[in-house]
Amino acid sequence: MDLDVVNMFVIAGGTLAIPILAFVASFLLWPSALIKIYYWYWRRTLGMQVRYVHHEDYQFCYSFRGRPGHKPTILMLHGFSAHKDMWLSVVKFLPKNLHLVCVDMPGHEGTTRSSLDDLSIDGQVKRIHQFVECLKLNKKPFHLVGTSMGGHVAGVYAAYYPSDICSLSLVCPAGLQYSSDNQFVQRLKELQDSAAIEKIPLIPSTPEEMSEMLQLCSYVRFKVPQQILQGLVDVRIPHNDFYRKLFFEIVSERSRHSLHQNMDKIKVPTQIIWGKQDQVLDVAGADMLAKSIANCQVELLENCGHSVVMERPRKTAKLIIDFLASVHNTDNNKKLD
């Protein structure tokens, strides 16, 4: 073989080896950095832009795609200890002509974290209303989506600010009062009684605990490499004290059943999406909501746990779009009558 050709292959091989070695080094040594790069790349690919807006000295961080149009804006509220990027798997399957807004909830990711902030459900609802006012999202009624803690906040928001929204999607929301405790709640009470409440299953501090949390929240058993588990833990550990503070606030007497206490005040068309195998929040909550909200559709997903957004993103996106279409068409028909 010609020496120049050999040199060409050596140079090409060396050029390719550099990014490969960089990726391997990142995976092995800095998995948390790799996770952040992954979200950045996914946002960029999906056309989601990150912006900041301020209400007085309070900063909200959010991502968005598209502009307000004749279709309702969709505002999405994430769950406990998550962030705006958890919606990316759903955004992937939503039409690009919709105006989408995903906000970091109070104290999470890029949104202000203050020791003086009211982290109760009522406090979070007020903060989200400030965010809505800052962006003037309620200039025209919007569609509000929330999952878990975000679903709790979204439901109470719909009760407090009915003129702001045109419709509502609650994905396995917290905030309901059950006649009996499921295994997860029983475990929390046992930990509290044994003074081991620092070991909250939703606040992992080791890769093993992270794996257990993923199994608790998901029906699908994801095979996550040890390094990725470590990276997920590394990203969370600096925030765990805040997560504990927030957790105790949202399970306090003041906040625990806020949705239950306000669900009969929800007047907009409402969609409930719930995984049948949810181990965190009992799927029986869907029936409670359906009986209290006049215009309510329930979608129960087979072979799906609490992490509906992660486990069934395509289905979740389709259900939301179909629901919006049905509500929008009904409203148009009423105008024609």
Side-chain angles (χ1 to χ4, degrees):
M1 183 180 290
D2 191 280
L3 186 59
D4 290 337
V5 176
V6 173
N7 288 337
M8 181 183 70
F9 276 109
V10 170
I11 293 169
T15 303
L16 289 171
I18 292 172
I20 292 172
L21 288 173
F23 175 83
V24 172
S26 297
F27 180 75
L28 295 175
L29 302 177
W30 306 291
S32 59
L34 192 62
I35 289 168
K36 291 178 180 178
I37 292 170
Y38 167 77
Y39 281 125
W40 171 84
Y41 176 78
W42 204 3
R43 283 197 306 269
R44 187 179 178 86
T45 300
L46 295 175
M48 295 292 287
Q49 301 179 57
V50 175
R51 293 288 185 273
Y52 299 88
V53 68
H54 292 82
H55 174 81
E56 298 176 351
D57 60 347
Y58 193 89
Q59 173 180 278
F60 293 98
C61 179
Y62 67 100
S63 61
F64 77 98
R65 185 175 76 185
R67 294 183 177 183
H70 68 281
K71 293 183 178 179
T73 290
I74 300 179
L75 173 60
M76 312 176 91
L77 309 182
H78 65 74
F80 171 78
S81 77
H83 47 75
K84 61 187 175 299
D85 293 332
M86 71 159 286
W87 291 108
L88 292 175
S89 57
V90 174
V91 168
K92 177 181 178 181
F93 299 106
L94 292 173
K96 292 186 177 180
N97 63 344
L98 291 175
H99 182 219
L100 307 177
V101 180
C102 305
V103 63
D104 284 326
M105 297 293 282
H108 291 74
E109 197 77 5
T111 292
T112 294
R113 179 179 300 171
S114 168
S115 59
L116 302 176
D117 211 13
D118 179 3
L119 297 174
S120 69
I121 295 301
D122 274 15
Q124 293 191 61
V125 168
K126 290 172 185 174
R127 282 296 188 197
I128 295 302
H129 185 61
Q130 291 170 357
F131 172 73
V132 166
E133 293 271 298
C134 285
L135 291 189
K136 295 181 171 57
L137 292 180
N138 54 355
K139 188 175 182 181
K140 175 183 174 182
F142 59 90
H143 179 70
L144 184 58
V145 183
T147 183
S148 196
M149 181 192 76
H152 194 169
V153 173
V156 177
Y157 189 103
Y160 287 3
Y161 305 103
S163 62
D164 279 11
I165 67 174
C166 60
S167 47
L168 177 69
S169 291
L170 302 179
V171 184
C172 50
L176 297 173
Q177 187 170 1
Y178 296 88
S179 57
S180 60
D181 296 332
N182 64 9
Q183 289 185 355
F184 171 68
V185 175
Q186 289 174 10
R187 182 182 174 191
L188 285 179
K189 289 183 175 179
E190 288 170 2
L191 288 171
Q192 193 169 15
D193 292 341
S194 65
I197 197 61
E198 291 294 308
K199 295 288 185 181
I200 300 169
L202 297 178
I203 308 178
S205 56
T206 67
E208 292 73 25
E209 290 174 358
M210 174 60 71
S211 180
E212 289 174 6
M213 187 190 80
L214 292 176
Q215 290 182 32
L216 171 69
C217 294
S218 305
Y219 175 79
V220 177
R221 291 295 178 254
F222 296 100
K223 294 182 179 179
V224 184
Q226 183 73 10
Q227 286 298 325
I228 295 298
L229 289 172
Q230 184 64 59
L232 292 170
V233 170
D234 290 345
V235 168
R236 295 172 64 99
I237 281 178
H239 310 288
N240 276 355
D241 286 344
F242 166 75
Y243 294 152
R244 289 189 186 93
K245 179 182 177 182
L246 173 61
F247 183 83
F248 291 132
E249 184 60 57
I250 61 178
V251 300
S252 68
E253 289 298 323
R254 178 185 177 190
S255 291
R256 186 182 305 170
H257 303 133
S258 291
L259 177 56
H260 199 102
Q261 294 158 2
N262 289 282
M263 60 185 175
D264 59 339
K265 299 174 188 172
I266 298 174
K267 304 303 179 185
V268 296
T270 301
Q271 174 186 50
I272 310 299
I273 304 174
W274 216 304
K276 280 191 175 182
Q277 284 72 37
D278 193 331
Q279 299 178 76
V280 178
L281 298 171
D282 199 305
V283 68
D287 190 50
M288 290 186 210
L289 290 165
K291 289 177 179 177
S292 296
I293 302 172
N295 189 351
C296 186
Q297 297 180 20
V298 174
E299 304 287 349
L300 302 182
L301 305 185
E302 292 282 358
N303 302 323
C304 184
H306 185 64
S307 299
V308 173
V309 173
M310 182 173 69
E311 294 181 73
R312 304 291 288 279
R314 185 193 296 269
K315 182 67 173 177
T316 301
K318 184 178 187 307
L319 288 172
I320 291 172
I321 293 306
D322 289 349
F323 175 68
L324 275 175
S326 68
V327 171
H328 183 71
N329 290 338
T330 298
D331 287 344
N332 284 342
N333 291 337
K334 286 180 180 177
K335 292 175 184 177
L336 293 172
D337 290 342

